[in-house]
């Protein structure tokens, strides 16, 4: 607890740097102004550094660039490896874990230690890792780095502690899973093949033990050579030399035959009785051509051969289609008896795996599903039904259905909003899924005690919006909204949209949502804004369209007096659609020189449309072309439901719209907002200064004010009047261009503005404040922040009576009040004089389409948080927190005195800043371009946390990073995944409780009774002791230079996590003891049953002997 007392005389700040530069605080002219009455305020700050800790919580979405797949048939959990070294482990909904290899090397293969709570990963840097899954956050227990050979294939037999590792040189090594040390037993490639063979067999592409005898290892080489190696005798039982390359091998469960897939699109079936030639060769998709030859087919990359008691065997494979048809989609083929089913996939198949009832490879497999890992999707097919339906995926794997272009995060939402959105979204769900339960059902997860309603909103390149329920670190899609339905479809190759943008004209650039009033606003890339209201009823509606001409040329300034007569504005108080100035692109629309003028980028539907329940469009605002120049992107937006106003700005100026009366109240250039209070001496602009640098309407730049500079530096990227939507991954060039572009205009003491610099409106905020120093009472105000670090206040007069509000105009006009900061302004927030956050006023939601109730007329219900009403002891006034890209300041209103200032960064700049509530208090959270995440106390701006979280920030992260209350934040870690993090120590402490358990103690199913004859004649599969062969006593030690053992951190971390988690070592030991006791009890019961059975058998045998004792042989 720290107490700050400050005499507000307007002359001093909390740091000496605050007084440098004349315009740093105070009046517009830069001279400090004393507060009217010096007085003391007491702000008790409760936040300290110990309240903050940064850690990742959970990752949602589809694993980006997947490479490998594994499934534990007993625990029923699935693992997916990726090219960046990530591993996602999935179980029942809520059980979702992300692990990352420190090396970042691609995952080649995954192998579960079935029902052991462990996972082996083989990576592209030729390292094996053993992960411990018996803790909520898995960790590496051991690593083994191969130095001289490249790993190509791994195989771990069920209930074995010896891992077979095949290499690129064709050798097979054996690793002890418990110690992660190489055995001295090695199967060299030249021993495996015949000495007479002159060519190298190629890398090992398959390893598996024979279902009939675990002492026989089947080795498949890429060239087509197959060897069955007798591990005991250390020699080959047989060798097969096939002239087609092998991709995969699959055994029949009896161990008498196996199937291979080849590069020519064929499947070969081999019988162990005769290995000189294949028992059967089939080309499933190869047709016989007219000349009698088979048509060439693509390789079959993988085949699985699975048996079933009740039906014919399943042969499932990927690939193998003929080359004749170009552009055919990737397929998975299911051959069941004589029936062949071809399932077409939307994306290339990375890997697939058949899920079977038994973990034993020598039993009838009974397949029930097949998991198909695609490049951008995960599909599970139900094999128990003849039409092979897919299961409905409970995980949010479709975040990237269209590329994500913006995100918003809302914690502690009204509790009723999630059920309502879900009920409306559920009506539009797809049908035709399998009726069975999702088969990946392992792990346990319970709803933690620290949960509250959370919603994530994602905007996409195709104009769609998705609302997600993010409560309790899970993610579930609630509702989808398509903003493109507001517009007419542009004809291909024609019209304004085609000329302006090649693709993605509806891409979402920004969203603004008020959960209380349920009003939703979308900013699109084509310089358009759509306002939506929420309704539980469908309706027939006609969309109102407003068109705004927003240009900042000094010769063509739009003043408020001209606005009234401007033809592109609707009439005051008009509720019907105005006459649109949206003409088809034709020579008649253009000036004699063929220049476009006064036309929007998209055409709004001008007819009555039927809209379903949910979010329904009410108003569309579009910026217009002016003299052949496309409208500039919208850089800032704010909406206030209590005022009924919407404000937006770009690099030309700001506009305010009354969405209740459907009128434009203000449309001014940034320069005109200053009036006589402009702190800068500006050079005159040429009227057609930037004709050559057109507006990239579809490029989502995170720094809108440097649009012109970026374009002039990279003219090759400009395609006519527009550019495609691009999401570059490297921020370095952008950072350099920003630093170079604004090196002359960052300082607050700049006295003149360069000719090439535009002053963009970078942030807007409605709220109850003091527009002028002389104001005694707060009034509705609009705070405007610009890219030059200037803050402007615009007071407004809004009629309070409901009838008057719908008829009387809202008066609005700049007051001349100017505050100054270093660099571009990012965020505003307001605190009362005891340091509590003042919420923006809002209108309580009411359904405008609901049936009229004569007893209860529908009236607007407004909720205000006036700064003067929240504290009586401290008098009138409030604190304004302003954060820019370099600096944060706290001002006292109405005196506009600067109380505290903090220079956040000198070497980088802030990308995102928000005032958020943490631990029943508030702080300023900042994310910088250099990857630092910082928090500052309020109002004193003391640094509380500074973590170098992301050393290399790319553009995708820069655009999607957002903070929310409760100490949480998120960003798009890859094009397909959302990473959520927390910067709250409390949430870090409770994270173990919130995460799911990957491992649950389950008894391993017993092997089926093989029968007396099979056990007697079926080989000695159960007498094989690997320890005798592979142990150090028999095989000796492997060469030290071959592989290096690296102990992992999982042991220490695992003990820490287990001690703090729900299942500690003590609990685990108790569970193991219970399991052992249970097994002993079951063993005793089985022994008693066997004794009873033996006695019964003896009795029957004796009776049979007495009965047949005196009979002759011919009497039987």
């Amino acid at each position: 607890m720290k107490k700050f007392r400050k005499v507000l005389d307007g002359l001093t700040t909390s740091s000496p740097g605050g007084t440098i530069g004349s315009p740093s605080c105070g009046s517009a002219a830069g001279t400090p102004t004393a507060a009217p009455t010096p007085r003391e305020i007491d702000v008790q700050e409760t936040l300290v550094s110990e309240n903050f800790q940064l850690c990742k919580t959970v990752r949602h979405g589809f694993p980006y660039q997947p490479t490998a797949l594994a499934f534990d048939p007993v625990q029923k959990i699935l693992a997916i490896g990726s090219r960046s070294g990530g591993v996602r482990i999935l179980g029942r909904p809520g059980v979702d874990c992300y692990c990352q290899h420190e090396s970042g090397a691609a995952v080649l293969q995954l192998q579960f230690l079935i029902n052991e709570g462990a996972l082996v990963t083989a990576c592209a840097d030729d390292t094996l890792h053993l992960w411990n899954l018996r803790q909520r956050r898995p960790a590496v227990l051991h690593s083994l780095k191969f130095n001289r050979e490249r790993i190509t294939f791994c195989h771990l037999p069920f209930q074995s502690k010896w891992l077979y590792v095949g290499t690129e040189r064709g050798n097979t090594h054996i690793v002890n899973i418990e110690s992660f040390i190489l055995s001295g037993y090695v199967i060299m490639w030249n021993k495996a093949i015949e000495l007479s063979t002159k060519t190298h067999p190629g890398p090992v592409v398959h390893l598996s033990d024979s279902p009939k005898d675990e002492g026989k290892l089947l080795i498949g080489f890429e060239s087509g050579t197959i060897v069955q190696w007798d591990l005991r005798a250390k020699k080959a039982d047989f060798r097969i030399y096939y002239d087609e390359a092998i991709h995969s091998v699959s055994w029949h469960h009896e161990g008498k035959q196996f199937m291979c897939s080849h590069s020519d699109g064929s499947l070969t079936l081999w019988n162990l009785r005769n290995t000189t030639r294949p028992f059967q060769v089939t080309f499933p998709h190869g047709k016989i051509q007219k000349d009698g030859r088979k048509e060439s087919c693509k390789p079959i990359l993988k085949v699985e051969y699975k048996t079933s008691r009740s039906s014919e065997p399943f042969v499932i494979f990927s690939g193998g289609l003929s080359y004749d048809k170009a552009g055919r989609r990737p397929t998975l083929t299911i051959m069941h008896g004589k029936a062949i089913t071809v399932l077409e996939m939307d994306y290339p198949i990375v890997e697939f795996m058949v899920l079977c009832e038994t973990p034993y490879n020598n039993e009838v497999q009974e397949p029930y599903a097949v998991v198909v890992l695609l490049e951008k999707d995960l599909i599970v097919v139900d094999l128990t039904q003849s039409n092979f339906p897919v299961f409905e995926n409970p995980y949010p794997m479709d975040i990237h259905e269209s590329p994500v272009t913006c995100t918003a995060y809302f914690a502690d939402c009204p509790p009723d909003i999630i059920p309502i959105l879900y009920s409306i979204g559920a009506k539009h769900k797809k049908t035709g899924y399998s009726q069975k339960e999702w088969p990946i059902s392992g792990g346990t997860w319970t709803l933690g005690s620290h949960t509250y309603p959370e919603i994530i909103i994602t905007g996409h390149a195709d104009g769609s919006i998705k609302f997600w329920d993010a409560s309790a670190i899970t993610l579930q899609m609630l509702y989808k909204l398509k903003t493109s339905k507001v517009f007419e479809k542009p004809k291909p190759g024609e019209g304004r949209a085609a000329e302006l943008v090649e693709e993605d004209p509806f891409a979402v650039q920004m969203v603004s949502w008020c959960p209380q009033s349920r009003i939703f606003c979308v900013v699109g890339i084509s310089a358009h804004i759509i306002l939506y209201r929420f309704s539980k009823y469908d309706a027939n509606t006609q969309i109102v369209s407003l068109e705004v001409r927003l240009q900042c040329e000094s010769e063509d300034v739009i003043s408020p007096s001209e606005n009234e007569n401007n033809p592109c504005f609707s009439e005051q108080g008009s509720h019907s659609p105005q006459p649109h100035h949206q003409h088809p692109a034709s020579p008649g629309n253009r000036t004699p020189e063929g220049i476009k003028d006064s036309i929007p980028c998209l055409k709004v539907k001008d007819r009555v449309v039927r809209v379903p329940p949910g979010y329904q469009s009410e108003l569309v605002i579009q910026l217009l072309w002016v003299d052949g120049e496309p409208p500039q992107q919208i850089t800032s937006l704010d909406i206030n439901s209590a005022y009924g106003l919407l404000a937006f700005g770009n690099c030309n100026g700001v506009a305010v719209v009354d969405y209740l009366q459907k009128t434009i109240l203000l449309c001014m250039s940034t320069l005109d907002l200053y009036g006589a209070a402009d702190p800068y001496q500006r050079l005159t602009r040429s009227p057609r200064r930037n004709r050559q640098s057109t507006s990239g309407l579809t490029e989502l730049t995170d720094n809108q004010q440097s649009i012109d500079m970026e374009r002039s530096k990279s003219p090759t990227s400009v395609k006519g009047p527009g550019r495609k939507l691009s999401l570059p991954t490297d921020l370095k060039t952008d950072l350099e261009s920003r630093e170079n572009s604004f090196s002359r205009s960052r300082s607050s003491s700049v006295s003149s503005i360069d000719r090439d610099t535009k002053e963009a409106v970078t942030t807007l905020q409605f709220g109850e404040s003091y527009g002028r120093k002389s104001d005694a009472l707060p009034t509705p105000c609009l705070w405007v922040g610009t890219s030059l670090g200037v803050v402007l206040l615009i007071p407004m007069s809004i009629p309070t009576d409901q009838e008057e509000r719908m008829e009387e105009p809202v008066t609005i006009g700049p007051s001349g009040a100017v505050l100054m900061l270093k660099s571009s302004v990012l965020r505003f927030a307001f605190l009362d004089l005891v340091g509590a956050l003042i919420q923006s006023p809002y209108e309580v939601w009411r359904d405008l389409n609901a049936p009229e109730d004569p007893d209860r007329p529908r009236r607007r219900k407004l909720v205000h948080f006036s700064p003067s009403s929240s504290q009586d002891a401290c008098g009138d006034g409030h604190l304004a927190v302003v954060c820019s890209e370099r600096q944060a300041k706290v001002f006292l209103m109405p005196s506009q005195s600067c109380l505290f200032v903090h220079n956040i960064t000198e070497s980088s700049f802030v990308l995102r800043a928000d005032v958020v509530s943490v631990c029943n208090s508030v702080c300023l959270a900042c994310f910088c371009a250099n990857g630092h995440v910082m928090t500052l106390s309020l109002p004193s701006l003391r640094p509380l946390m500074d973590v170098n979280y992301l050393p290399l920030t790319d553009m995708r992260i820069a655009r999607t990073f957002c903070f929310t209350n409760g100490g949480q934040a998120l960003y798009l870690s890859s094009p397909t995944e959302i990473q959520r993090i927390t910067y709250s120590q409390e949430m870090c402490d409770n994270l173990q409780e919130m995460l799911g358990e990957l491992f649950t103690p389950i008894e391993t199913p017993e092997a089926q009774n093989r029968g007396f004859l099979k056990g007697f004649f079926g080989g000695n599969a159960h007498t094989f002791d690997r320890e005798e062969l592979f142990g150090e006593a028999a095989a000796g030690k492997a060469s030290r230079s071959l592989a290096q053992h690296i102990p992992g951190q999982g042991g220490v971390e695992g003990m820490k996590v287990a001690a703090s988690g729900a299942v500690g070592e003590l609990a685990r030991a108790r569970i193991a003891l219970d399991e052992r006791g249970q097994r002993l009890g079951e063993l005793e019961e089985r022994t008693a049953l066997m004794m009873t059975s033996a006695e019964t058998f003896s009795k029957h045998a004796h009776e049979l002997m007495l009965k047949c004792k005196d009979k002759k042989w011919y009497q039987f």
Side-chain angles (χ1 to χ4, degrees), residues 30-298:
T31 55
T33 307
T37 54
R39 51 197 169 89
E40 284 191 350
I41 60 168
D42 292 342
V43 177
Q44 294 183 341
E45 294 190 0
T46 58
L47 291 178
V48 291
S49 297
E50 287 71 25
N51 293 125
F52 297 92
Q53 181 187 344
L54 193 72
C55 69
K56 293 180 180 178
T57 53
V58 69
R59 184 173 289 211
H60 303 296
F62 180 77
Y64 184 55
Q65 294 180 327
T67 54
L69 184 68
F71 183 71
D72 186 325
V74 179
Q75 288 288 322
K76 295 194 183 299
I77 55 175
L78 186 82
I80 301 172
S82 69
R83 195 176 299 174
S84 59
V87 179
R88 280 283 287 284
I89 304 170
L90 302 167
R92 66 176 68 246
V95 179
D96 186 341
C97 178
Y98 174 75
C99 318
Q100 175 68 44
H101 292 93
E102 287 184 7
S103 65
V107 179
L108 298 179
Q109 201 175 345
L110 300 164
Q111 285 274 314
F112 274 106
L113 277 66
I114 295 174
N115 205 27
E116 295 291 334
L119 176 71
V120 175
T121 58
C123 295
D125 60 352
D126 306 305
T127 307
L128 298 172
H129 303 276
L130 178 66
W131 292 83
N132 178 16
L133 306 184
R134 293 189 177 223
Q135 55 195 57
R136 297 190 186 223
R137 291 216 151 186
V140 174
L141 290 169
H142 301 283
S143 297
L144 188 66
K145 167 78 173 169
F146 280 73
N147 297 322
R148 299 203 303 253
E149 297 194 53
R150 309 292 315 265
I151 298 171
T152 55
F153 195 87
C154 298
H155 170 63
L156 180 66
F158 179 44
Q159 294 180 323
S160 167
K161 67 174 184 179
W162 298 95
L163 175 75
Y164 302 115
V165 181
T167 68
E168 196 174 39
R169 291 187 182 179
N171 303 325
T172 302
H173 300 276
I174 300 167
V175 179
N176 186 313
I177 289 297
E178 292 176 351
S179 60
F180 238 59
I181 295 174
L182 269 180
S183 165
Y185 193 114
V186 184
I187 306 170
M188 304 300 288
W189 69 270
N190 53 355
K191 298 282 181 67
I193 64 171
E194 287 180 321
L195 295 174
S196 59
T197 308
K198 295 180 181 179
T199 56
H200 190 278
V204 175
V205 295
H206 177 80
L207 292 167
S208 62
D209 51 332
S210 167
K212 193 175 178 181
D213 185 353
E214 293 177 345
K216 306 292 177 70
L217 183 69
L218 195 70
I219 308 170
F221 298 94
E222 190 179 57
S223 63
T225 301
I226 300 172
V227 176
Q228 180 165 291
W229 185 262
D230 189 329
L231 294 165
R232 299 183 198 85
K234 299 183 181 180
K235 65 182 182 66
D237 283 348
F238 62 81
R239 298 179 177 93
I240 296 171
Y241 299 98
Y242 197 64
D243 54 2
E244 285 295 339
I246 290 174
H247 286 283
S248 71
V249 182
S250 184
W251 280 98
H252 187 280
H253 81 274
E254 291 179 351
K256 296 176 182 177
Q257 55 187 22
F258 58 85
M259 186 176 285
C260 301
S261 68
H262 300 278
S263 56
D264 63 346
S266 66
L267 296 174
T268 55
L269 188 63
W270 298 83
N271 198 313
L272 266 58
R273 290 180 180 176
N274 181 12
T275 56
T276 56
R277 59 188 179 85
F279 172 68
Q280 185 182 3
V281 180
T282 55
F283 288 81
H285 295 298
K287 298 174 184 175
I288 299 175
Q289 296 174 335
K290 292 180 180 179
D291 56 3
R293 292 185 301 171
K294 289 268 186 184
E295 61 183 345
S296 58
C297 295
K298 297 176 184 177

Side-chain angles (χ1 to χ4, degrees), residues 746-761:
R746 294 284 187 190
S747 171
S748 59
S749 59
V750 173
S751 59
S752 67
I753 299 302
D754 187 74
R755 182 183 299 274
D756 288 334
T757 304
K758 272 189 176 182
E759 186 173 11
V761 176

